[in-house]
Amino acid sequence: MADDYVRRTAITRLSVDDEQRELLEETISAWKRGCQIATDMAWNVCNAKSDVQPLAYDDVREQTDLGSQHAILATHQAAQAITGCIERKSNGKKISKPTFTAPTVKYDTRTMTLFDDDTVSLSTTESRVRCDLALPDADDGYQRQYLDSDEWSVTESTLTARDGDYFLHIGFRRHKNDTERNTAEDGTVLGVDLGIENLAVTSTAYFFSGRELTHDLREFEKVRAGLQQTGTRSAHRTLEQSSGRERRYVRDVLHRASNAIVNEALRYRCVVIAFEDLTYIRDRTSASWGHKWAFRTLYEQVEYKAEAVGIAVKQVGSAYTSKRCAECGFTADENRPTRNDFQCQKCESEANADYNAAKNIGMRYVRRGQQSSRRTGNSQLALKSGTVTPSGGFTAHPDGFEAEFMDKPHPPRANPSG
């Protein structure tokens, strides 16, 4: 069962030559076609993997160059996408048939093999390619704790093309130990909201500004577009250098943000960090592809850093977290007059919109514990001034606690990593 495993993702860039690049591009194109064929056939018909696969497998095989296992995986991806639409519809969201445009392709243990020499073999539409993993230096290489351990085994992974580079999101899992299996994951919860204006905001009113990242991502995009349009060999070399600078810069920002989130959880003695479900975050935030990648990478960085200090990281449903009043529970579109402001039309409570959402996200995980047979239901949400329960019970932080006794948002700090 999935609940018996701890799951993690390690991201690394691949070093590919021109021939490998062409094969991977062809495979990504075939994968998108295969997923779309299966979705077109199953839409309004079925959504279970066991139903979509026999319905669409033959057509995917006949109409694409995908191998048999990748054709199966494409039908499973279609089933997952359709299921997601059904869940969104049940939450009152408008839905339309999924379309597959992202430059990705899924791999499993039959279509991908990791080797001890830091290379990976990947199935393509023609033959297998064996690529080097472009791993970071040892002092920055969190991937090593998974790659070099017999405890972690490889599971389903995703290859993503971005700005001429290929990134492999390698899935790992290990069996939970007895302590993890028996942990109720009750206790103090830190809620985290991700966004554009503020990259991350916590329920304890810590703001990590996203303005600098947004500005620089746009600038990188302009430079990249100009170089791609030029198309000369010199422009291509400059593009590679620019992409390298962008990766290093974004990675530094995300490391500082993830450190800040984990430190905030430690400071408030939290046992869980709760994020909203990232599946449709690009739709909710109007984020660029670069931002979506940054959100996912930030989550994964928080996940492995938090695990190292004994803190669990969870995702909860995202429906209405931005429109629900964290004080009285009233939910309405009118509660969000602007992107940054939240003004409850019922209780007249006012707050920064991202901060209000962070409290809703954390409280949603707390409430989920009350319905779970695996948890005691004794969780509480961490605020700047104290902790609060779903019933409204409030416990102030003890005297001497370094947090200010003011549960209000404040401007982004000059040094977010401090």
Side-chain angles (χ1 to χ4, degrees):
M1 294 176 58
D3 288 340
D4 290 332
Y5 293 98
V6 176
R7 298 176 186 273
R8 294 292 179 265
T9 303
I11 305 173
T12 179
R13 187 171 59 86
L14 299 183
S15 294
V16 299
D17 59 32
D18 289 342
E19 182 180 354
Q20 292 170 335
R21 182 185 304 276
E22 185 176 344
L23 287 172
L24 292 176
E25 282 295 330
E26 290 174 357
T27 304
I28 288 173
S29 296
W31 169 262
K32 291 189 291 186
R33 281 201 310 277
C35 292
Q36 196 64 59
I37 291 167
T39 299
D40 291 346
M41 295 182 69
W43 186 247
N44 290 329
V45 177
C46 57
N47 69 307
K49 289 181 180 180
S50 57
D51 295 328
V52 179
Q53 182 177 326
L55 174 70
Y57 172 79
D58 288 341
D59 286 72
V60 173
R61 286 283 279 154
E62 289 171 7
Q63 298 179 44
T64 74
D65 292 325
L66 291 175
S68 58
Q69 186 61 19
H70 259 143
I72 292 172
L73 293 176
T75 65
H76 293 176
Q77 185 74 13
Q80 182 180 334
I82 296 171
T83 300
C85 286
I86 294 173
E87 291 174 354
R88 293 181 75 195
K89 186 176 181 180
S90 67
N91 288 326
K93 301 285 187 179
K94 292 182 179 179
I95 63 169
S96 58
K97 184 171 64 176
T99 57
F100 295 85
T101 58
T104 64
V105 57
K106 287 288 180 67
Y107 282 90
D108 63 3
T109 53
R110 295 185 181 183
T111 51
M112 181 187 87
T113 305
L114 280 177
F115 295 96
D116 293 337
D117 62 353
D118 293 338
T119 62
V120 62
S121 171
L122 301 170
S123 293
T124 70
T125 50
E126 293 185 22
S127 59
R128 283 206 168 220
V129 296
R130 187 159 175 170
C131 311
D132 290 324
L133 303 178
L135 294 166
D137 296 335
D139 60 350
D140 190 35
Y142 77 93
Q143 297 94 335
R144 283 290 172 203
Q145 64 184 294
Y146 308 115
L147 291 167
D148 297 344
S149 173
D150 293 333
E151 190 180 19
W152 293 91
S153 58
V154 178
T155 60
E156 193 169 273
S157 304
T158 303
L159 179 72
T160 298
R162 181 170 180 263
D163 302 330
D165 284 323
Y166 294 88
F167 295 89
L168 190 59
H169 295 235
I170 310 171
F172 289 92
R173 74 178 187 182
R174 65 166 172 79
H175 283 284
K176 289 183 177 179
N177 57 41
D178 290 340
T179 301
E180 291 167 329
R181 196 172 290 113
N182 296 326
T183 295
E185 289 172 350
D186 280 306
T188 306
V189 177
L190 182 73
V192 180
D193 179 67
L194 302 180
I196 307 298
E197 182 76 13
N198 295 297
L199 179 59
V201 179
T202 70
S203 59
T204 52
Y206 184 95
F207 283 63
F208 193 102
S209 176
R211 292 178 183 176
E212 181 184 353
L213 177 64
T214 298
H215 173 268
D216 289 336
L217 282 174
R218 286 173 180 163
E219 291 302 308
F220 280 125
E221 182 62 36
K222 290 178 184 176
V223 171
R224 193 160 49 242
L227 291 170
Q228 288 172 338
Q229 190 172 16
T230 302
T232 63
R233 185 173 297 178
S234 174
H236 181 70
R237 284 197 301 268
T238 305
L239 178 61
E240 289 184 342
Q241 294 170 352
S242 175
S243 296
R245 286 195 299 272
E246 179 182 5
R247 282 196 304 274
R248 288 189 294 273
Y249 164 75
V250 174
R251 189 171 64 185
D252 176 66
V253 172
L254 298 181
H255 272 303
R256 287 191 285 118
S258 58
N259 284 337
I261 292 169
V262 174
N263 287 339
E264 197 77 352
L266 289 170
R267 180 184 178 198
Y268 287 86
R269 302 180 182 88
C270 298
V271 299
V272 172
I273 301 173
F275 288 81
E276 62 180 319
D277 183 355
L278 302 184
T279 305
Y280 298 104
I281 193 166
R282 191 176 179 187
D283 297 335
R284 292 194 300 275
T285 62
S286 300
S288 65
W289 170 256
H291 264 109
K292 182 183 178 183
W293 172 81
F295 293 148
R296 174 64 62 182
T297 303
L298 176 60
Y299 176 85
E300 290 165 350
Q301 287 187 3
V302 171
E303 192 174 41
Y304 79 79
K305 291 177 182 180
E307 184 205 29
V309 291
I311 298 173
V313 179
K314 302 292 182 179
Q315 292 187 33
V316 299
S318 59
Y320 308 118
T321 53
S322 65
K323 299 175 183 178
R324 180 186 184 277
C325 178
E327 302 301 322
C328 73
F330 179 69
T331 303
D333 292 344
E334 293 76 19
N335 287 348
R336 284 286 300 274
T338 68
R339 171 181 287 205
N340 296 326
D341 298 318
F342 186 93
Q343 299 174 1
C344 181
Q345 301 303 299
K346 183 176 182 181
C347 73
E348 300 184 349
S349 171
E350 296 185 7
N352 175 278
D354 297 334
Y355 175 53
N356 179 78
K359 291 197 286 186
N360 279 329
I361 290 164
M363 186 56 76
R364 182 159 293 178
Y365 182 82
V366 172
R367 286 196 180 92
R368 199 166 74 180
Q370 297 179 318
Q371 284 89 43
S372 173
S373 61
R374 297 175 59 249
R375 293 170 56 194
T376 64
N378 293 325
S379 292
Q380 58 274 334
L381 176 66
L383 302 176
K384 190 168 189 177
S385 54
T387 59
V388 65
T389 65
S391 62
F394 178 78
T395 303
H397 291 304
D399 290 342
F401 191 80
E402 60 185 35
E404 299 172 18
F405 285 80
M406 288 285 288
D407 185 30
K408 294 181 179 179
H410 53 77
R413 300 178 184 178
N415 180 14
S417 61

